[in-house]
Amino acid sequence: VGQEPFPRHGTVRLRFDELFSYRANQPWRDRRRLLPERMTYWQLGAELLDRDLSLLSGGEKQRFGLIAAELLARPLLLLDEPASALDPANRARVAQLIRTTERTVIVVAHYAETAAAADRRVELTGEGA
C-alpha cells in the first residue's frame, strides 16, 4: 500500500472489481464480500463506492488501499506511509492492523504510533534519512 494507492481514474467499485478479476487474486475473490464491513470499520461511507477516484481525498484513497490489502490477505504486507493522510482515529486503526495481523508487515512510517506498533524497528536518522 503506497502513499497514493488507486491513483487512476474510475470509480472505487470499478477498481475493486478489477483488482479481484486478476488471476493472481482469484484465491481471495470471495473476500470481496467483506468490502462493506471493512468500509464501515475504516469510516468510509457506502456512497464512496460509486465516486470517481480523482474526487477522493488522500486519506480516503489510503483507507481503500488498506482495505484492498486486507481483503487480498497475502502473507506479506508492504506499507509506505500508510497513515500520512489520516486523522488520529484512523492512524490508530493502522497501528491496530500492524499489531494484530498474522502477516509479516514491512512499514515505512513517520508517525510514532504507527512505528510503535511494530515488533522490530529500524530507525534511520541523519542526513538523507
Side-chain angles (χ1 to χ4, degrees):
V1 179
Q3 287 182 4
E4 183 72 20
F6 298 121
R8 301 185 311 211
H9 292 282
T11 66
V12 173
R13 184 184 313 274
L14 179 65
R15 290 299 155 226
F16 271 90
D17 289 345
E18 180 182 58
L19 180 67
F20 284 93
S21 72
Y22 297 130
R23 179 179 290 160
N25 295 336
Q26 293 302 306
W28 299 283
R29 179 179 264 173
D30 66 322
R31 292 178 54 85
R32 191 182 185 296
R33 67 180 161 61
L34 300 173
L35 180 58
E37 170 193 318
R38 300 317 300 155
M39 286 177 63
T40 298
Y41 175 79
W42 288 100
Q43 299 181 325
L44 293 163
E47 73 281 357
L48 294 179
L49 281 176
D50 295 311
R51 185 165 296 163
D52 192 273
L53 289 161
S54 65
L55 301 176
L56 296 181
S57 71
E60 289 167 338
K61 288 179 186 178
Q62 278 188 315
R63 287 179 280 166
F64 276 118
L66 289 162
I67 291 169
E70 285 181 305
L71 295 180
L72 289 176
R74 297 196 184 272
L76 177 64
L77 191 55
L78 301 173
L79 304 175
D80 179 18
E81 288 294 336
S84 64
L86 301 182
D87 61 13
N90 281 303
R91 286 198 307 265
R93 285 179 180 85
V94 171
Q96 178 73 10
L97 172 65
I98 294 167
R99 276 193 302 276
T100 61
T101 188
E102 305 256 336
R103 300 183 256 179
T104 298
V105 179
I106 298 173
V107 60
V108 175
H110 288 111
Y111 284 108
E113 67 264 38
T114 305
D119 292 333
R120 289 183 243 165
R121 290 173 288 288
V122 174
E123 186 174 337
L124 302 178
T125 60
E127 194 172 314

